[in-house]
Amino acid sequence: MGATLSKLNARKTGGVRPSATHPLSTEEHRKIDAYWRACNYLAVGMIYLRDNPLLRRPLKPEHVKNRLLGHWGSSTGLSFTYVHLNRLIRKYDLNAIFLAGPGHGAPGVLGPVYLEGAYSEIYPSKSEDVDGMRAFFKDFSFPGGIGSHCTPETPGSIHEGGELGYSISHAFGAAFDNPDLLVAVVVGDGEAETGALATSWHSDKFLNPIRDGAVLPILNLNGYKINNPTLLARVPNEELVHLFKGYGWVPHFVEGDDVDLMHQEMAGTLEECLLEIRRIQEEARASGKASRAHWPMIVLRTPKGWTGPKEVDGHKVEGYWRSHQVPLSGVRENPAHLKLLEDWMRSYRPEELFDEKGRLIPELKALAPTGTRRMSANPHANGGLLRKALCLPDFRDYAIPVEKPGQTAAENTRPLGRFLRDIMRQNPSNFRVFGPDENSSNKLDALYEVSKKLWLADYKPEDADGGELSPDGRVLEMLSEHTLEGWYEGYLLSGRHGFFSTYEAFVHVIDSMFNMHAKWLAMAEQLPWRAPVSSLNLLITSTVWRQDHNGFTHQDPGFLDLVVNKSPDVCRIYLPPDANTLLSVANHCLKSTDYINVIVSDKQKHLQYMTMDEAIVHCTKGISIWQKVSNDQGSEPDVVMACAGDIPTKEALAAVVLLREHFPNLKIRFVNVVDLYRLVPSTEHPHGLSDRDFDSLFTKDKPIIFNFHGYPWLIHRLTYRRTNHKNLHVRGYKEKGNINTPLDLAIQNQIDRFSLAIDVIDRVPSLEVAGAHAKEILRNMQIDCQSYAYEHGVDKPELDQWTWSA
């Protein structure tokens, strides 16, 4: 379709058009088009060439890569947007960054990044000359080189686009608390079909125009995915207007394939959107009143594979799914395709764009911003450069008093809420807390004493009665773990700090987002120019063992199994057994950089075991013998009772008490694990114990009964190389239970005190026969507990309120 027709369609459907139809002068137009041609030339060169980068010789098969990898289809739309944004950056001295949502869109971003000079500054071997361009081309999608996404190696990137759906949420995370920043984000129309992306359009309701920057989404409808049409590209403009107005956006349309008209259309529309953004911000900042704004966004319709081959071997390519990846295959073996490739590349007229040395000619070089105004060199896209350490209160001040271990109960997460409250107070512009409508449920509601939940939409009178809403709130709650996680990641990657809490069973919603962020951090750690960013701190609560009313659907501790798949340089897992160990762990995590810290701690009341001083020592070691529970001092134990997690610790303690009643001479060593990675060999993880230290704790040949919070096989996976693994017997969640009392659920999964004590009797040789009577008693007690629960709906009071005495 032509750009003229698109203007008519936009007027018909209520879209907004630029007031000036030709905002570019003839000279501006000529230069911008030339710059864009240079970007497109580089994109094709990256996909195809390993030599002869400027075609100063006839193209031959040996100049082409043996394997043709990469994606052409969305590249031109990305570079088209990038080049026009550069014009506005120079005109208005904008502070802007660029996020590329379309999958495999790197060629469309790497081209302008290289032309700006940022790529060569970071990677000197990719210099701005013929040799550098040759190396630049060869490294793309090449073994030992760079990938086809906007990976951490891409200057200016905070969004890789490997898994689709997170570009808008990342963009908003970067815009929060950055009042002068414009985040331009291109959304692919394939990406727009994902649930995560669809929900993230609601992010506009959380952008405070006074204290935050702005996000400008550009939905690039190029029509196709890998080999299917995209849904939104086949929707009439009238429906798109209704859709995006329903989300709260004001859509502007730029559409067509006539290059000359499209440059004018894009220039005018982008500028109009920018001026509207500034108007919204200036009005809000002048009035001092933050309210929900209706922000502009752009729907950019361009052909997939725009400016590429229109037809190959009688098949449509430009404007069709065949342009998605490599439009011309078999180039080395097919002379006709080789000729098509050469004609395609020469159509960009590289001889007009690059000088004798292979550098972009000066008049085009001058179109790009300079210094840190380049989107590829903006420090907000290398957030560690801007990161400032949190001002942390002393976590010891929030300690739960523990006069006698195991005698009193408290909600483990409530003191953490007070700690986070005061962190929020002392860091009012670079710390936010994220959670899906659960901060009160998770006992973190002390936060609201300092900062309410951000709410910019309408208010009702009843909201004043416990709603905890405010347009100035810094607690972000939305029932979309995807969007929250995306905000959080964007906030961290642009240099700030945060904390995320969510229910254990539903943290799986962000399994793949966790994967993507872990991979980003692992790659970024290998790049010395990437400054460290704050760690992603994830509190998993409302855990498997306390789902008294939620039942089977809310019982899933398997997120930990996923975490251990990732790089040991990135991931950490902590299972603090009480409130003071949780505070110590949280303080450590909030100070750290470049990690994902997963903390598992239930929100219900649990026994408290350690003074703060004891908790600090225990957490520093990550694993330790609890001397007050153990009675094997000066000798080898008969059995090692180990545990990790709050309920497993309580049940293991109770099992020790039962065993002492029946076998007072039994030597028991009690080991508690806070840092799960201490179980891994030191050769596999930086927190791992050496084999000597592991054997010292767990012995070389004595039975080990390990009571674990999660699925039992995870402990076997972590310890299978250890000397005494054959004697390790793990109890954990085994997919048993539903609406159970806490003790009944433990019994069904065999992590209860009775099952553990019976297990010890079965594993200690001296008790196999002598312990028969004790086993009978313990099994009878177990049956009695279950019968009581099924009759009364609660656990027996003496067991529910059980305390431990040293």
Side-chain angles (χ1 to χ4, degrees):
M1 74 185 70
T4 304
L5 177 59
S6 74
K7 288 196 288 186
L8 176 61
N9 287 340
R11 283 195 293 272
K12 281 182 178 178
T13 57
V16 182
R17 302 307 312 154
S19 56
T21 56
H22 289 78
L24 299 176
S25 68
T26 302
E27 188 65 6
E28 265 189 312
H29 180 282
R30 181 185 67 80
K31 291 179 180 179
I32 285 177
D33 182 66
Y35 199 103
W36 183 50
R37 283 190 281 118
C39 295
N40 295 339
Y41 180 84
L42 294 177
V44 182
M46 278 182 262
I47 294 171
Y48 284 96
L49 299 188
R50 61 179 298 165
D51 198 3
N52 193 14
L54 283 169
L55 299 182
R56 289 177 175 167
R57 292 167 284 155
L59 187 62
K60 295 183 178 180
E62 57 265 30
H63 301 152
V64 178
K65 296 176 181 178
N66 288 305
R67 289 198 310 162
L68 299 179
L69 303 172
H71 290 68
W72 165 248
S74 61
S75 294
T76 50
L78 286 164
S79 58
F80 183 75
T81 305
Y82 198 110
V83 169
H84 280 275
L85 283 165
N86 274 349
R87 169 182 170 266
L88 294 183
I89 291 171
R90 286 180 55 82
K91 182 173 180 178
Y92 292 98
D93 190 30
L94 289 183
N95 184 15
I97 61 174
F98 183 86
L99 276 63
H104 300 283
V109 178
L110 288 167
V113 167
Y114 175 80
L115 294 177
E116 289 177 343
Y119 206 88
S120 301
E121 291 167 13
I122 292 173
Y123 306 107
S125 64
K126 312 302 187 300
S127 50
E128 295 182 79
D129 53 30
V130 174
D131 290 337
M133 190 183 295
R134 180 186 298 109
F136 182 57
F137 285 178
K138 179 178 178 293
D139 264 13
F140 178 79
S141 284
F142 201 82
I146 58 175
S148 61
H149 303 290
C150 293
T151 62
E153 294 96 328
T154 304
S157 174
I158 63 166
H159 172 80
E160 176 170 301
E163 184 181 28
L164 303 179
Y166 314 124
S167 59
I168 288 181
S169 56
H170 282 160
F172 274 86
F176 290 146
D177 295 315
N178 271 327
D180 299 323
L181 185 66
L182 173 69
V183 186
V185 51
V186 177
V187 180
D189 49 355
E191 178 187 26
E193 296 178 7
T194 64
L197 195 287
T199 305
S200 69
W201 289 113
H202 287 297
S203 300
D204 60 352
K205 301 169 181 67
F206 293 84
L207 201 66
N208 184 319
I210 296 176
R211 70 183 183 199
D212 297 331
V215 174
L216 178 59
I218 300 100
L219 174 62
N220 188 196
L221 299 180
N222 62 35
Y224 294 90
K225 304 184 284 285
I226 295 176
N227 61 359
N228 267 304
T230 54
L231 295 175
L232 292 184
R234 296 287 177 97
V235 171
N237 282 1
E238 183 178 3
E239 286 188 34
L240 290 177
V241 169
H242 290 312
L243 175 67
F244 289 110
K245 283 189 174 181
Y247 275 122
W249 296 90
V250 179
H252 298 241
F253 288 78
V254 176
E255 46 191 348
D257 56 7
D258 184 306
V259 170
D260 290 340
L261 289 175
M262 286 292 284
H263 279 304
Q264 296 288 359
E265 291 269 306
M266 190 62 168
T269 302
L270 266 179
E271 191 156 5
E272 183 173 343
C273 290
L274 174 63
L275 295 177
E276 175 63 9
I277 287 169
R278 289 197 160 184
R279 182 195 65 77
I280 292 170
Q281 292 175 332
E282 288 167 2
E283 286 184 4
R285 293 169 189 180
S287 69
K289 182 180 179 181
S291 60
R292 179 185 165 202
H294 290 79
W295 301 91
M297 55 89 65
I298 294 173
V299 178
L300 174 64
R301 285 190 191 265
T302 58
K304 195 173 187 74
W306 194 17
T307 75
K310 294 188 179 301
E311 190 176 283
V312 177
D313 297 337
H315 298 289
K316 181 178 175 64
V317 175
E318 185 190 51
Y320 198 46
W321 57 260
R322 287 191 179 89
S323 65
H324 179 76
Q325 293 177 319
V326 181
L328 294 165
S329 59
V331 175
R332 290 172 62 92
E333 300 80 26
N334 188 326
H337 282 199
L338 183 68
K339 177 65 165 59
L340 280 173
L341 173 61
E342 182 168 8
D343 291 345
W344 174 17
M345 296 193 71
R346 291 192 185 280
S347 73
Y348 298 119
R349 307 192 296 281
E351 66 280 0
E352 299 176 5
L353 310 174
F354 301 95
D355 65 16
E356 258 325 289
K357 294 184 177 179
R359 298 175 299 195
L360 190 67
I361 61 175
E363 71 168 3
L364 298 183
K365 188 76 172 175
L367 296 184
T370 59
T372 56
R373 280 298 189 249
R374 294 173 295 177
M375 292 188 286
S376 55
N378 191 306
H380 291 285
N382 188 3
L385 297 174
L386 302 175
R387 178 185 180 272
K388 295 180 180 178
L390 282 173
C391 179
L392 289 173
D394 190 338
F395 69 98
R396 299 170 182 82
D397 295 340
Y398 306 86
I400 293 280
V402 178
E403 295 182 6
K404 294 182 179 180
Q407 292 288 299
T408 58
E411 295 162 328
N412 287 346
T413 56
R414 196 167 294 282
L416 175 64
R418 294 191 282 270
F419 183 45
L420 294 173
R421 171 199 64 196
D422 293 342
I423 295 173
M424 186 82 78
R425 177 183 285 121
Q426 295 182 26
N427 302 269
S429 62
N430 68 337
F431 179 75
R432 293 199 180 202
V433 173
F434 305 80
D437 188 33
E438 295 162 0
N439 284 303
S440 292
S441 173
N442 291 337
K443 309 300 191 293
L444 303 177
D445 46 310
L447 282 161
Y448 305 139
E449 298 170 23
V450 171
S451 180
K452 306 298 184 184
K453 292 176 275 192
L454 175 64
W455 190 258
L456 294 167
D458 294 342
Y459 282 75
K460 294 185 175 183
E462 55 267 30
D463 291 330
D465 183 16
E468 307 291 3
L469 306 179
S470 169
D472 297 318
R474 303 186 57 75
V475 179
L476 298 182
E477 296 192 9
M478 178 182 177
L479 203 54
S480 168
E481 289 88 347
H482 282 130
T483 304
L484 290 163
E485 175 70 12
W487 289 347
Y488 187 16
E489 291 173 3
Y491 199 64
L492 297 179
L493 291 170
S494 52
R496 280 73 64 75
H497 307 258
F499 196 87
F500 190 126
S501 70
T502 189
Y503 287 0
E504 181 175 60
F506 305 120
V507 69
H508 285 293
V509 172
I510 58 168
D511 276 3
S512 54
M513 294 189 77
F514 158 81
N515 282 335
M516 294 296 104
H517 191 67
K519 289 175 181 291
W520 176 282
L521 292 176
M523 294 172 71
E525 281 192 348
Q526 301 172 28
L527 304 171
W529 61 272
R530 283 269 180 197
V533 296
S534 301
S535 296
L536 193 153
N537 301 307
L538 183 58
L539 173 66
I540 296 175
T541 186
S542 188
T543 56
V544 57
W545 302 111
R546 293 304 306 269
Q547 294 303 327
D548 309 9
H549 66 287
N550 288 317
F552 195 44
T553 58
H554 283 55
Q555 296 166 8
D556 189 335
F559 186 71
L560 301 184
D561 299 68
L562 175 76
V563 174
V564 299
N565 291 334
K566 298 299 116 182
S567 168
D569 294 329
V570 169
C571 294
R572 306 289 183 265
I573 299 174
Y574 301 99
L575 295 101
D578 64 4
N580 289 341
T581 50
L582 174 59
L583 285 167
S584 180
V585 164
N587 180 73
H588 168 77
C589 293
L590 286 162
K591 289 180 177 179
S592 67
T593 58
D594 285 346
Y595 296 147
I596 298 177
N597 297 307
V598 178
I599 308 169
V600 183
S601 181
D602 188 52
K603 63 185 180 180
Q604 306 292 352
K605 283 190 173 183
H606 294 277
L607 291 178
Q608 303 300 304
Y609 307 108
M610 294 192 160
T611 66
M612 181 53 77
D613 287 342
E614 291 170 337
I616 292 170
V617 172
H618 183 40
C619 293
T620 301
K621 291 189 291 185
I623 183 172
S624 61
I625 299 172
W626 282 13
Q627 300 288 352
K628 294 175 183 178
V629 187
S630 305
N631 68 341
D632 67 320
Q633 292 84 347
S635 63
E636 274 198 295
D638 297 310
V639 65
V640 177
M641 182 71 76
C643 52
D646 36 39
I647 290 291
T649 296
K650 175 185 176 181
E651 292 303 310
L653 278 170
V656 170
V657 171
L658 291 172
L659 288 165
R660 293 267 169 76
E661 291 173 357
H662 292 280
F663 311 104
N665 295 322
L666 184 68
K667 299 297 184 184
I668 303 173
R669 177 177 297 175
F670 193 92
V671 176
N672 184 262
V673 180
V674 174
D675 181 347
L676 198 63
Y677 279 109
R678 297 296 274 164
L679 300 176
V680 178
S682 55
T683 54
E684 302 298 320
H685 194 283
H687 285 199
L689 288 175
S690 68
D691 286 337
R692 180 183 294 272
D693 286 340
F694 190 92
D695 290 345
S696 177
L697 278 174
F698 290 100
T699 78
K700 290 186 176 182
D701 57 4
K702 296 298 187 288
I704 307 162
I705 310 301
F706 199 120
N707 213 27
F708 179 49
H709 171 85
Y711 290 107
W713 36 87
L714 179 58
I715 299 300
H716 287 292
R717 175 180 170 187
L718 298 177
T719 59
Y720 80 97
R721 292 186 181 182
R722 297 300 192 175
T723 304
N724 199 21
H725 182 255
K726 66 181 182 298
N727 284 319
L728 177 62
H729 310 283
V730 186
R731 297 292 173 229
Y733 183 66
K734 299 194 295 184
E735 291 290 315
K736 302 289 186 181
N738 197 351
I739 305 296
N740 305 99
T741 63
L743 185 54
D744 181 39
L745 182 64
I747 290 170
Q748 292 204 30
N749 290 277
Q750 298 181 303
I751 73 152
D752 64 290
R753 60 199 70 185
F754 309 110
S755 295
L756 296 175
I758 290 170
D759 215 4
V760 170
I761 294 170
D762 288 341
R763 306 295 179 185
V764 175
S766 63
L767 301 181
E768 286 183 13
V769 176
H773 294 286
K775 283 175 63 175
E776 285 293 308
I777 294 170
L778 293 171
R779 181 61 183 136
N780 290 342
M781 293 173 69
Q782 192 179 55
I783 293 170
D784 183 54
C785 288
Q786 287 186 294
S787 297
Y788 186 95
Y790 297 154
E791 181 177 353
H792 299 282
V794 294
D795 286 322
K796 298 182 75 170
E798 63 268 30
L799 296 177
D800 182 54
Q801 298 162 25
W802 179 88
T803 59
W804 178 79
S805 178

